[in-house]
Amino acid sequence: MDKSKIPAGQADALGALLDDHRAVKTLFKTFKDTEDRDGKESIAREVCQQLTVHATIEEEIFYPALRGVSDSIDDMLDEAKVEHQVAKDLIAAIEEDPGGDMLEANFTVLSEYVSHHVAEEEGELFNNVIKEKIDLRDVAPLMAARKEELTQEPS
Ligand SMILES: [Fe+2]
Ligand SMILES: [Fe+2]
């Protein structure tokens, strides 16, 4: 999705989420390219933290702002809820034992799963948000403030 082509009403909110998506995608690749165990572990921890913040913002602020606009958006939001839950289970497994033998397997499945979810969000949900001209100009600052809050919290 090309950020520069998003209309003003949706640009800030969708742009921020797209930035988050890009950031974790880069970390997924870095994990693959990293050979050493400690390196992988710290990337995994960082990804889990970023995904948790991102999912919280979507669930608390972004998704509720879209609820009820159309049946197809509601269906996508239901699906997103299930996908977030699966990602959370994998994140919990990784955070429980980041030094364990299952890190590589859990992280690989998480990255595949999140990549699928991100592709659906960008390809379907975000396009519908633009198509329906949902005005997110007041929502974007709330998302930014919540991110700030969640990022500052000690983990
Ligand atoms: Fe999501
Ligand atoms: Fe997302």
Side-chain angles (χ1 to χ4, degrees), residues 24-32 39-49 51 90-91 93-94 98 101-115:
V24 288
K25 270 199 172 170
T26 304
L27 288 170
F28 287 153
K29 197 179 172 308
T30 312
F31 182 93
K32 262 192 190 168
K40 279 188 182 284
E41 198 181 313
S42 82
I43 295 159
R45 285 178 193 274
E46 175 64 25
V47 167
C48 289
Q49 210 209 336
L51 285 175
L90 288 163
I91 288 168
I94 291 168
D101 291 342
M102 290 302 285
L103 175 67
E104 187 82 36
N106 281 327
F107 193 85
T108 301
V109 176
L110 178 69
S111 66
E112 287 167 359
Y113 212 77
V114 168
S115 299

PDB file of all heavy atoms in Angstrom, residues 24-32 39-49 51 90-91 93-94 98 101-115:
ATOM      1  N   VAL A  24       7.964  -4.220  11.818  1.00  0.00           N
ATOM      2  CA  VAL A  24       8.064  -5.640  12.209  1.00  0.00           C
ATOM      3  C   VAL A  24       8.525  -6.506  11.040  1.00  0.00           C
ATOM      4  O   VAL A  24       9.268  -7.468  11.245  1.00  0.00           O
ATOM      5  CB  VAL A  24       6.784  -6.242  12.845  1.00  0.00           C
ATOM      6  CG1 VAL A  24       6.552  -5.721  14.232  1.00  0.00           C
ATOM      7  CG2 VAL A  24       5.570  -6.077  12.000  1.00  0.00           C
ATOM      8  N   LYS A  25       8.113  -6.156   9.829  1.00  0.00           N
ATOM      9  CA  LYS A  25       8.585  -6.925   8.669  1.00  0.00           C
ATOM     10  C   LYS A  25      10.107  -6.890   8.575  1.00  0.00           C
ATOM     11  O   LYS A  25      10.747  -7.897   8.279  1.00  0.00           O
ATOM     12  CB  LYS A  25       7.969  -6.387   7.374  1.00  0.00           C
ATOM     13  CG  LYS A  25       6.665  -7.065   7.054  1.00  0.00           C
ATOM     14  CD  LYS A  25       6.279  -6.898   5.587  1.00  0.00           C
ATOM     15  CE  LYS A  25       5.062  -7.753   5.277  1.00  0.00           C
ATOM     16  NZ  LYS A  25       4.474  -7.476   3.966  1.00  0.00           N
ATOM     17  N   THR A  26      10.681  -5.706   8.819  1.00  0.00           N
ATOM     18  CA  THR A  26      12.141  -5.579   8.800  1.00  0.00           C
ATOM     19  C   THR A  26      12.762  -6.465   9.875  1.00  0.00           C
ATOM     20  O   THR A  26      13.766  -7.143   9.636  1.00  0.00           O
ATOM     21  CB  THR A  26      12.535  -4.098   9.031  1.00  0.00           C
ATOM     22  OG1 THR A  26      11.887  -3.315   8.027  1.00  0.00           O
ATOM     23  CG2 THR A  26      14.029  -3.890   8.942  1.00  0.00           C
ATOM     24  N   LEU A  27      12.139  -6.470  11.063  1.00  0.00           N
ATOM     25  CA  LEU A  27      12.671  -7.294  12.160  1.00  0.00           C
ATOM     26  C   LEU A  27      12.531  -8.795  11.868  1.00  0.00           C
ATOM     27  O   LEU A  27      13.387  -9.585  12.258  1.00  0.00           O
ATOM     28  CB  LEU A  27      11.988  -6.937  13.477  1.00  0.00           C
ATOM     29  CG  LEU A  27      12.392  -5.586  14.077  1.00  0.00           C
ATOM     30  CD1 LEU A  27      11.484  -5.209  15.238  1.00  0.00           C
ATOM     31  CD2 LEU A  27      13.844  -5.615  14.544  1.00  0.00           C
ATOM     32  N   PHE A  28      11.469  -9.187  11.164  1.00  0.00           N
ATOM     33  CA  PHE A  28      11.333 -10.596  10.783  1.00  0.00           C
ATOM     34  C   PHE A  28      12.518 -11.012   9.924  1.00  0.00           C
ATOM     35  O   PHE A  28      13.079 -12.088  10.087  1.00  0.00           O
ATOM     36  CB  PHE A  28      10.044 -10.833   9.976  1.00  0.00           C
ATOM     37  CG  PHE A  28       8.778 -10.778  10.793  1.00  0.00           C
ATOM     38  CD1 PHE A  28       7.571 -10.422  10.201  1.00  0.00           C
ATOM     39  CD2 PHE A  28       8.780 -11.104  12.138  1.00  0.00           C
ATOM     40  CE1 PHE A  28       6.399 -10.386  10.936  1.00  0.00           C
ATOM     41  CE2 PHE A  28       7.607 -11.070  12.893  1.00  0.00           C
ATOM     42  CZ  PHE A  28       6.413 -10.700  12.279  1.00  0.00           C
ATOM     43  N   LYS A  29      12.883 -10.127   9.000  1.00  0.00           N
ATOM     44  CA  LYS A  29      13.993 -10.431   8.111  1.00  0.00           C
ATOM     45  C   LYS A  29      15.318 -10.458   8.887  1.00  0.00           C
ATOM     46  O   LYS A  29      16.148 -11.339   8.681  1.00  0.00           O
ATOM     47  CB  LYS A  29      14.052  -9.399   6.972  1.00  0.00           C
ATOM     48  CG  LYS A  29      14.884  -9.879   5.827  1.00  0.00           C
ATOM     49  CD  LYS A  29      14.963  -8.911   4.665  1.00  0.00           C
ATOM     50  CE  LYS A  29      15.988  -9.400   3.637  1.00  0.00           C
ATOM     51  NZ  LYS A  29      17.313  -9.704   4.199  1.00  0.00           N
ATOM     52  N   THR A  30      15.481  -9.489   9.794  1.00  0.00           N
ATOM     53  CA  THR A  30      16.701  -9.453  10.599  1.00  0.00           C
ATOM     54  C   THR A  30      16.847 -10.731  11.421  1.00  0.00           C
ATOM     55  O   THR A  30      17.949 -11.268  11.552  1.00  0.00           O
ATOM     56  CB  THR A  30      16.677  -8.233  11.560  1.00  0.00           C
ATOM     57  OG1 THR A  30      16.295  -7.082  10.809  1.00  0.00           O
ATOM     58  CG2 THR A  30      18.032  -7.988  12.183  1.00  0.00           C
ATOM     59  N   PHE A  31      15.738 -11.210  11.960  1.00  0.00           N
ATOM     60  CA  PHE A  31      15.770 -12.462  12.742  1.00  0.00           C
ATOM     61  C   PHE A  31      16.322 -13.597  11.884  1.00  0.00           C
ATOM     62  O   PHE A  31      17.196 -14.346  12.311  1.00  0.00           O
ATOM     63  CB  PHE A  31      14.359 -12.796  13.228  1.00  0.00           C
ATOM     64  CG  PHE A  31      14.268 -14.036  14.096  1.00  0.00           C
ATOM     65  CD1 PHE A  31      14.347 -13.942  15.476  1.00  0.00           C
ATOM     66  CD2 PHE A  31      14.094 -15.294  13.523  1.00  0.00           C
ATOM     67  CE1 PHE A  31      14.254 -15.085  16.284  1.00  0.00           C
ATOM     68  CE2 PHE A  31      14.004 -16.436  14.316  1.00  0.00           C
ATOM     69  CZ  PHE A  31      14.085 -16.330  15.698  1.00  0.00           C
ATOM     70  N   LYS A  32      15.798 -13.705  10.656  1.00  0.00           N
ATOM     71  CA  LYS A  32      16.243 -14.763   9.735  1.00  0.00           C
ATOM     72  C   LYS A  32      17.730 -14.659   9.435  1.00  0.00           C
ATOM     73  O   LYS A  32      18.438 -15.658   9.338  1.00  0.00           O
ATOM     74  CB  LYS A  32      15.483 -14.643   8.408  1.00  0.00           C
ATOM     75  CG  LYS A  32      14.310 -15.579   8.283  1.00  0.00           C
ATOM     76  CD  LYS A  32      13.822 -15.584   6.837  1.00  0.00           C
ATOM     77  CE  LYS A  32      12.499 -16.306   6.702  1.00  0.00           C
ATOM     78  NZ  LYS A  32      11.884 -16.076   5.396  1.00  0.00           N
ATOM     79  N   GLY A  39      21.238 -12.796  19.764  1.00  0.00           N
ATOM     80  CA  GLY A  39      20.694 -11.830  18.807  1.00  0.00           C
ATOM     81  C   GLY A  39      19.263 -12.163  18.458  1.00  0.00           C
ATOM     82  O   GLY A  39      18.383 -11.297  18.466  1.00  0.00           O
ATOM     83  N   LYS A  40      19.025 -13.421  18.143  1.00  0.00           N
ATOM     84  CA  LYS A  40      17.666 -13.865  17.798  1.00  0.00           C
ATOM     85  C   LYS A  40      16.708 -13.614  18.959  1.00  0.00           C
ATOM     86  O   LYS A  40      15.587 -13.151  18.761  1.00  0.00           O
ATOM     87  CB  LYS A  40      17.668 -15.357  17.456  1.00  0.00           C
ATOM     88  CG  LYS A  40      18.118 -15.673  16.040  1.00  0.00           C
ATOM     89  CD  LYS A  40      17.914 -17.143  15.727  1.00  0.00           C
ATOM     90  CE  LYS A  40      18.389 -17.535  14.344  1.00  0.00           C
ATOM     91  NZ  LYS A  40      17.506 -17.129  13.247  1.00  0.00           N
ATOM     92  N   GLU A  41      17.195 -13.915  20.163  1.00  0.00           N
ATOM     93  CA  GLU A  41      16.350 -13.755  21.337  1.00  0.00           C
ATOM     94  C   GLU A  41      15.951 -12.290  21.531  1.00  0.00           C
ATOM     95  O   GLU A  41      14.786 -11.989  21.803  1.00  0.00           O
ATOM     96  CB  GLU A  41      17.101 -14.277  22.566  1.00  0.00           C
ATOM     97  CG  GLU A  41      16.212 -14.563  23.729  1.00  0.00           C
ATOM     98  CD  GLU A  41      16.986 -15.070  24.948  1.00  0.00           C
ATOM     99  OE1 GLU A  41      17.839 -15.981  24.794  1.00  0.00           O
ATOM    100  OE2 GLU A  41      16.747 -14.544  26.039  1.00  0.00           O
ATOM    101  N   SER A  42      16.894 -11.394  21.362  1.00  0.00           N
ATOM    102  CA  SER A  42      16.552  -9.987  21.604  1.00  0.00           C
ATOM    103  C   SER A  42      15.662  -9.424  20.500  1.00  0.00           C
ATOM    104  O   SER A  42      14.775  -8.610  20.764  1.00  0.00           O
ATOM    105  CB  SER A  42      17.807  -9.137  21.850  1.00  0.00           C
ATOM    106  OG  SER A  42      18.396  -8.785  20.647  1.00  0.00           O
ATOM    107  N   ILE A  43      15.849  -9.893  19.257  1.00  0.00           N
ATOM    108  CA  ILE A  43      14.938  -9.466  18.176  1.00  0.00           C
ATOM    109  C   ILE A  43      13.524  -9.990  18.450  1.00  0.00           C
ATOM    110  O   ILE A  43      12.534  -9.268  18.289  1.00  0.00           O
ATOM    111  CB  ILE A  43      15.433  -9.965  16.790  1.00  0.00           C
ATOM    112  CG1 ILE A  43      16.762  -9.312  16.434  1.00  0.00           C
ATOM    113  CG2 ILE A  43      14.396  -9.662  15.708  1.00  0.00           C
ATOM    114  CD1 ILE A  43      17.554 -10.073  15.383  1.00  0.00           C
ATOM    115  N   ALA A  44      13.446 -11.237  18.888  1.00  0.00           N
ATOM    116  CA  ALA A  44      12.139 -11.832  19.178  1.00  0.00           C
ATOM    117  C   ALA A  44      11.411 -11.041  20.265  1.00  0.00           C
ATOM    118  O   ALA A  44      10.218 -10.756  20.148  1.00  0.00           O
ATOM    119  CB  ALA A  44      12.297 -13.294  19.598  1.00  0.00           C
ATOM    120  N   ARG A  45      12.141 -10.670  21.308  1.00  0.00           N
ATOM    121  CA  ARG A  45      11.531  -9.884  22.387  1.00  0.00           C
ATOM    122  C   ARG A  45      11.013  -8.539  21.868  1.00  0.00           C
ATOM    123  O   ARG A  45       9.925  -8.086  22.213  1.00  0.00           O
ATOM    124  CB  ARG A  45      12.558  -9.594  23.489  1.00  0.00           C
ATOM    125  CG  ARG A  45      12.873 -10.775  24.387  1.00  0.00           C
ATOM    126  CD  ARG A  45      13.941 -10.343  25.401  1.00  0.00           C
ATOM    127  NE  ARG A  45      14.526 -11.448  26.116  1.00  0.00           N
ATOM    128  CZ  ARG A  45      14.011 -11.985  27.222  1.00  0.00           C
ATOM    129  NH1 ARG A  45      12.873 -11.520  27.710  1.00  0.00           N
ATOM    130  NH2 ARG A  45      14.611 -12.996  27.821  1.00  0.00           N
ATOM    131  N   GLU A  46      11.826  -7.903  21.021  1.00  0.00           N
ATOM    132  CA  GLU A  46      11.456  -6.604  20.456  1.00  0.00           C
ATOM    133  C   GLU A  46      10.200  -6.729  19.583  1.00  0.00           C
ATOM    134  O   GLU A  46       9.289  -5.904  19.662  1.00  0.00           O
ATOM    135  CB  GLU A  46      12.648  -6.059  19.638  1.00  0.00           C
ATOM    136  CG  GLU A  46      12.399  -4.761  18.878  1.00  0.00           C
ATOM    137  CD  GLU A  46      12.110  -3.571  19.790  1.00  0.00           C
ATOM    138  OE1 GLU A  46      12.555  -3.598  20.957  1.00  0.00           O
ATOM    139  OE2 GLU A  46      11.435  -2.625  19.326  1.00  0.00           O
ATOM    140  N   VAL A  47      10.156  -7.758  18.747  1.00  0.00           N
ATOM    141  CA  VAL A  47       8.997  -7.980  17.882  1.00  0.00           C
ATOM    142  C   VAL A  47       7.743  -8.205  18.722  1.00  0.00           C
ATOM    143  O   VAL A  47       6.683  -7.619  18.447  1.00  0.00           O
ATOM    144  CB  VAL A  47       9.226  -9.181  16.929  1.00  0.00           C
ATOM    145  CG1 VAL A  47       7.925  -9.622  16.264  1.00  0.00           C
ATOM    146  CG2 VAL A  47      10.263  -8.843  15.873  1.00  0.00           C
ATOM    147  N   CYS A  48       7.856  -9.026  19.744  1.00  0.00           N
ATOM    148  CA  CYS A  48       6.697  -9.315  20.602  1.00  0.00           C
ATOM    149  C   CYS A  48       6.176  -8.033  21.232  1.00  0.00           C
ATOM    150  O   CYS A  48       4.961  -7.801  21.303  1.00  0.00           O
ATOM    151  CB  CYS A  48       7.055 -10.328  21.686  1.00  0.00           C
ATOM    152  SG  CYS A  48       7.299 -11.989  21.038  1.00  0.00           S
ATOM    153  N   GLN A  49       7.088  -7.193  21.673  1.00  0.00           N
ATOM    154  CA  GLN A  49       6.680  -5.939  22.305  1.00  0.00           C
ATOM    155  C   GLN A  49       5.986  -5.014  21.297  1.00  0.00           C
ATOM    156  O   GLN A  49       4.921  -4.463  21.572  1.00  0.00           O
ATOM    157  CB  GLN A  49       7.907  -5.263  22.907  1.00  0.00           C
ATOM    158  CG  GLN A  49       7.559  -4.426  24.124  1.00  0.00           C
ATOM    159  CD  GLN A  49       8.519  -3.265  24.289  1.00  0.00           C
ATOM    160  OE1 GLN A  49       9.652  -3.332  23.805  1.00  0.00           O
ATOM    161  NE2 GLN A  49       8.085  -2.220  24.929  1.00  0.00           N
ATOM    162  N   LEU A  51       4.527  -5.808  18.475  1.00  0.00           N
ATOM    163  CA  LEU A  51       3.240  -6.364  18.029  1.00  0.00           C
ATOM    164  C   LEU A  51       2.166  -6.194  19.092  1.00  0.00           C
ATOM    165  O   LEU A  51       1.004  -5.933  18.768  1.00  0.00           O
ATOM    166  CB  LEU A  51       3.385  -7.853  17.677  1.00  0.00           C
ATOM    167  CG  LEU A  51       4.093  -8.178  16.364  1.00  0.00           C
ATOM    168  CD1 LEU A  51       4.265  -9.689  16.216  1.00  0.00           C
ATOM    169  CD2 LEU A  51       3.318  -7.635  15.160  1.00  0.00           C
ATOM    170  N   LEU A  90       0.993 -17.109  20.306  1.00  0.00           N
ATOM    171  CA  LEU A  90       2.384 -17.349  19.901  1.00  0.00           C
ATOM    172  C   LEU A  90       3.333 -16.403  20.633  1.00  0.00           C
ATOM    173  O   LEU A  90       4.420 -16.805  21.068  1.00  0.00           O
ATOM    174  CB  LEU A  90       2.533 -17.176  18.382  1.00  0.00           C
ATOM    175  CG  LEU A  90       1.900 -18.295  17.537  1.00  0.00           C
ATOM    176  CD1 LEU A  90       1.728 -17.845  16.098  1.00  0.00           C
ATOM    177  CD2 LEU A  90       2.755 -19.558  17.603  1.00  0.00           C
ATOM    178  N   ILE A  91       2.910 -15.142  20.782  1.00  0.00           N
ATOM    179  CA  ILE A  91       3.726 -14.164  21.505  1.00  0.00           C
ATOM    180  C   ILE A  91       3.925 -14.625  22.955  1.00  0.00           C
ATOM    181  O   ILE A  91       5.039 -14.572  23.484  1.00  0.00           O
ATOM    182  CB  ILE A  91       3.081 -12.755  21.445  1.00  0.00           C
ATOM    183  CG1 ILE A  91       3.223 -12.180  20.034  1.00  0.00           C
ATOM    184  CG2 ILE A  91       3.704 -11.817  22.479  1.00  0.00           C
ATOM    185  CD1 ILE A  91       2.384 -10.938  19.766  1.00  0.00           C
ATOM    186  N   ALA A  93       3.869 -17.657  24.069  1.00  0.00           N
ATOM    187  CA  ALA A  93       4.780 -18.813  24.073  1.00  0.00           C
ATOM    188  C   ALA A  93       6.231 -18.349  23.943  1.00  0.00           C
ATOM    189  O   ALA A  93       7.130 -18.879  24.611  1.00  0.00           O
ATOM    190  CB  ALA A  93       4.416 -19.769  22.939  1.00  0.00           C
ATOM    191  N   ILE A  94       6.462 -17.360  23.097  1.00  0.00           N
ATOM    192  CA  ILE A  94       7.826 -16.843  22.902  1.00  0.00           C
ATOM    193  C   ILE A  94       8.303 -16.127  24.160  1.00  0.00           C
ATOM    194  O   ILE A  94       9.426 -16.347  24.636  1.00  0.00           O
ATOM    195  CB  ILE A  94       7.880 -15.903  21.669  1.00  0.00           C
ATOM    196  CG1 ILE A  94       7.672 -16.702  20.388  1.00  0.00           C
ATOM    197  CG2 ILE A  94       9.216 -15.138  21.628  1.00  0.00           C
ATOM    198  CD1 ILE A  94       7.424 -15.865  19.153  1.00  0.00           C
ATOM    199  N   PRO A  98      11.949 -17.371  25.878  1.00  0.00           N
ATOM    200  CA  PRO A  98      12.659 -16.875  24.696  1.00  0.00           C
ATOM    201  C   PRO A  98      14.014 -17.569  24.469  1.00  0.00           C
ATOM    202  O   PRO A  98      14.532 -17.538  23.360  1.00  0.00           O
ATOM    203  CB  PRO A  98      12.850 -15.376  24.982  1.00  0.00           C
ATOM    204  CG  PRO A  98      12.604 -15.207  26.431  1.00  0.00           C
ATOM    205  CD  PRO A  98      11.814 -16.365  26.925  1.00  0.00           C
ATOM    206  N   ASP A 101      14.205 -24.049  23.138  1.00  0.00           N
ATOM    207  CA  ASP A 101      14.403 -24.723  21.848  1.00  0.00           C
ATOM    208  C   ASP A 101      13.306 -24.392  20.839  1.00  0.00           C
ATOM    209  O   ASP A 101      13.513 -24.571  19.643  1.00  0.00           O
ATOM    210  CB  ASP A 101      14.399 -26.251  22.051  1.00  0.00           C
ATOM    211  CG  ASP A 101      15.627 -26.716  22.822  1.00  0.00           C
ATOM    212  OD1 ASP A 101      16.603 -25.934  22.887  1.00  0.00           O
ATOM    213  OD2 ASP A 101      15.588 -27.838  23.355  1.00  0.00           O
ATOM    214  N   MET A 102      12.153 -23.934  21.315  1.00  0.00           N
ATOM    215  CA  MET A 102      11.031 -23.684  20.401  1.00  0.00           C
ATOM    216  C   MET A 102      11.018 -22.262  19.835  1.00  0.00           C
ATOM    217  O   MET A 102      10.118 -21.920  19.062  1.00  0.00           O
ATOM    218  CB  MET A 102       9.699 -23.967  21.113  1.00  0.00           C
ATOM    219  CG  MET A 102       9.447 -25.440  21.388  1.00  0.00           C
ATOM    220  SD  MET A 102       9.474 -26.448  19.881  1.00  0.00           S
ATOM    221  CE  MET A 102       7.895 -25.988  19.163  1.00  0.00           C
ATOM    222  N   LEU A 103      12.009 -21.454  20.203  1.00  0.00           N
ATOM    223  CA  LEU A 103      11.993 -20.059  19.735  1.00  0.00           C
ATOM    224  C   LEU A 103      11.903 -19.959  18.219  1.00  0.00           C
ATOM    225  O   LEU A 103      11.050 -19.261  17.681  1.00  0.00           O
ATOM    226  CB  LEU A 103      13.236 -19.295  20.239  1.00  0.00           C
ATOM    227  CG  LEU A 103      13.356 -17.866  19.698  1.00  0.00           C
ATOM    228  CD1 LEU A 103      12.238 -16.975  20.239  1.00  0.00           C
ATOM    229  CD2 LEU A 103      14.706 -17.241  20.020  1.00  0.00           C
ATOM    230  N   GLU A 104      12.797 -20.654  17.527  1.00  0.00           N
ATOM    231  CA  GLU A 104      12.841 -20.581  16.062  1.00  0.00           C
ATOM    232  C   GLU A 104      11.488 -20.976  15.459  1.00  0.00           C
ATOM    233  O   GLU A 104      10.969 -20.277  14.581  1.00  0.00           O
ATOM    234  CB  GLU A 104      13.961 -21.505  15.563  1.00  0.00           C
ATOM    235  CG  GLU A 104      14.243 -21.411  14.078  1.00  0.00           C
ATOM    236  CD  GLU A 104      15.149 -20.228  13.703  1.00  0.00           C
ATOM    237  OE1 GLU A 104      16.065 -19.910  14.491  1.00  0.00           O
ATOM    238  OE2 GLU A 104      14.920 -19.635  12.643  1.00  0.00           O
ATOM    239  N   ALA A 105      10.933 -22.082  15.933  1.00  0.00           N
ATOM    240  CA  ALA A 105       9.651 -22.558  15.396  1.00  0.00           C
ATOM    241  C   ALA A 105       8.521 -21.577  15.709  1.00  0.00           C
ATOM    242  O   ALA A 105       7.753 -21.195  14.818  1.00  0.00           O
ATOM    243  CB  ALA A 105       9.319 -23.934  15.974  1.00  0.00           C
ATOM    244  N   ASN A 106       8.436 -21.147  16.963  1.00  0.00           N
ATOM    245  CA  ASN A 106       7.372 -20.211  17.339  1.00  0.00           C
ATOM    246  C   ASN A 106       7.492 -18.903  16.568  1.00  0.00           C
ATOM    247  O   ASN A 106       6.507 -18.347  16.098  1.00  0.00           O
ATOM    248  CB  ASN A 106       7.429 -19.913  18.845  1.00  0.00           C
ATOM    249  CG  ASN A 106       6.822 -21.015  19.679  1.00  0.00           C
ATOM    250  OD1 ASN A 106       5.882 -21.671  19.263  1.00  0.00           O
ATOM    251  ND2 ASN A 106       7.367 -21.209  20.865  1.00  0.00           N
ATOM    252  N   PHE A 107       8.729 -18.415  16.458  1.00  0.00           N
ATOM    253  CA  PHE A 107       8.919 -17.126  15.795  1.00  0.00           C
ATOM    254  C   PHE A 107       8.625 -17.229  14.300  1.00  0.00           C
ATOM    255  O   PHE A 107       8.047 -16.316  13.709  1.00  0.00           O
ATOM    256  CB  PHE A 107      10.338 -16.598  16.026  1.00  0.00           C
ATOM    257  CG  PHE A 107      10.486 -15.157  15.640  1.00  0.00           C
ATOM    258  CD1 PHE A 107      10.156 -14.149  16.529  1.00  0.00           C
ATOM    259  CD2 PHE A 107      10.921 -14.800  14.369  1.00  0.00           C
ATOM    260  CE1 PHE A 107      10.257 -12.813  16.174  1.00  0.00           C
ATOM    261  CE2 PHE A 107      11.021 -13.463  13.998  1.00  0.00           C
ATOM    262  CZ  PHE A 107      10.698 -12.470  14.908  1.00  0.00           C
ATOM    263  N   THR A 108       9.014 -18.331  13.695  1.00  0.00           N
ATOM    264  CA  THR A 108       8.755 -18.522  12.263  1.00  0.00           C
ATOM    265  C   THR A 108       7.255 -18.553  11.989  1.00  0.00           C
ATOM    266  O   THR A 108       6.762 -17.887  11.072  1.00  0.00           O
ATOM    267  CB  THR A 108       9.422 -19.821  11.750  1.00  0.00           C
ATOM    268  OG1 THR A 108      10.826 -19.718  11.997  1.00  0.00           O
ATOM    269  CG2 THR A 108       9.194 -20.025  10.273  1.00  0.00           C
ATOM    270  N   VAL A 109       6.518 -19.287  12.816  1.00  0.00           N
ATOM    271  CA  VAL A 109       5.065 -19.347  12.633  1.00  0.00           C
ATOM    272  C   VAL A 109       4.444 -17.967  12.888  1.00  0.00           C
ATOM    273  O   VAL A 109       3.578 -17.517  12.142  1.00  0.00           O
ATOM    274  CB  VAL A 109       4.416 -20.433  13.529  1.00  0.00           C
ATOM    275  CG1 VAL A 109       2.900 -20.417  13.389  1.00  0.00           C
ATOM    276  CG2 VAL A 109       4.967 -21.808  13.176  1.00  0.00           C
ATOM    277  N   LEU A 110       4.929 -17.292  13.934  1.00  0.00           N
ATOM    278  CA  LEU A 110       4.423 -15.938  14.214  1.00  0.00           C
ATOM    279  C   LEU A 110       4.648 -15.021  13.014  1.00  0.00           C
ATOM    280  O   LEU A 110       3.745 -14.278  12.608  1.00  0.00           O
ATOM    281  CB  LEU A 110       5.116 -15.350  15.456  1.00  0.00           C
ATOM    282  CG  LEU A 110       4.709 -13.911  15.823  1.00  0.00           C
ATOM    283  CD1 LEU A 110       3.270 -13.837  16.335  1.00  0.00           C
ATOM    284  CD2 LEU A 110       5.657 -13.315  16.887  1.00  0.00           C
ATOM    285  N   SER A 111       5.838 -15.070  12.432  1.00  0.00           N
ATOM    286  CA  SER A 111       6.136 -14.165  11.313  1.00  0.00           C
ATOM    287  C   SER A 111       5.276 -14.491  10.095  1.00  0.00           C
ATOM    288  O   SER A 111       4.782 -13.592   9.422  1.00  0.00           O
ATOM    289  CB  SER A 111       7.622 -14.175  10.968  1.00  0.00           C
ATOM    290  OG  SER A 111       8.004 -15.427  10.481  1.00  0.00           O
ATOM    291  N   GLU A 112       5.043 -15.776   9.844  1.00  0.00           N
ATOM    292  CA  GLU A 112       4.177 -16.156   8.717  1.00  0.00           C
ATOM    293  C   GLU A 112       2.744 -15.692   8.966  1.00  0.00           C
ATOM    294  O   GLU A 112       2.077 -15.170   8.071  1.00  0.00           O
ATOM    295  CB  GLU A 112       4.189 -17.687   8.530  1.00  0.00           C
ATOM    296  CG  GLU A 112       5.493 -18.200   7.940  1.00  0.00           C
ATOM    297  CD  GLU A 112       5.635 -19.721   8.055  1.00  0.00           C
ATOM    298  OE1 GLU A 112       4.735 -20.392   8.612  1.00  0.00           O
ATOM    299  OE2 GLU A 112       6.669 -20.230   7.592  1.00  0.00           O
ATOM    300  N   TYR A 113       2.324 -15.898  10.185  1.00  0.00           N
ATOM    301  CA  TYR A 113       0.965 -15.555  10.558  1.00  0.00           C
ATOM    302  C   TYR A 113       0.717 -14.050  10.492  1.00  0.00           C
ATOM    303  O   TYR A 113      -0.285 -13.588   9.955  1.00  0.00           O
ATOM    304  CB  TYR A 113       0.718 -16.070  11.982  1.00  0.00           C
ATOM    305  CG  TYR A 113      -0.696 -16.464  12.160  1.00  0.00           C
ATOM    306  CD1 TYR A 113      -1.172 -17.659  11.646  1.00  0.00           C
ATOM    307  CD2 TYR A 113      -1.586 -15.605  12.775  1.00  0.00           C
ATOM    308  CE1 TYR A 113      -2.500 -17.997  11.760  1.00  0.00           C
ATOM    309  CE2 TYR A 113      -2.911 -15.937  12.899  1.00  0.00           C
ATOM    310  CZ  TYR A 113      -3.362 -17.131  12.388  1.00  0.00           C
ATOM    311  OH  TYR A 113      -4.682 -17.449  12.492  1.00  0.00           O
ATOM    312  N   VAL A 114       1.643 -13.296  11.053  1.00  0.00           N
ATOM    313  CA  VAL A 114       1.506 -11.834  11.059  1.00  0.00           C
ATOM    314  C   VAL A 114       1.599 -11.295   9.627  1.00  0.00           C
ATOM    315  O   VAL A 114       0.853 -10.379   9.264  1.00  0.00           O
ATOM    316  CB  VAL A 114       2.553 -11.184  11.990  1.00  0.00           C
ATOM    317  CG1 VAL A 114       2.619  -9.678  11.787  1.00  0.00           C
ATOM    318  CG2 VAL A 114       2.226 -11.497  13.449  1.00  0.00           C
ATOM    319  N   SER A 115       2.460 -11.878   8.818  1.00  0.00           N
ATOM    320  CA  SER A 115       2.569 -11.422   7.417  1.00  0.00           C
ATOM    321  C   SER A 115       1.241 -11.601   6.689  1.00  0.00           C
ATOM    322  O   SER A 115       0.811 -10.732   5.926  1.00  0.00           O
ATOM    323  CB  SER A 115       3.671 -12.192   6.682  1.00  0.00           C
ATOM    324  OG  SER A 115       4.903 -11.952   7.310  1.00  0.00           O
TER     325      SER A 115
END
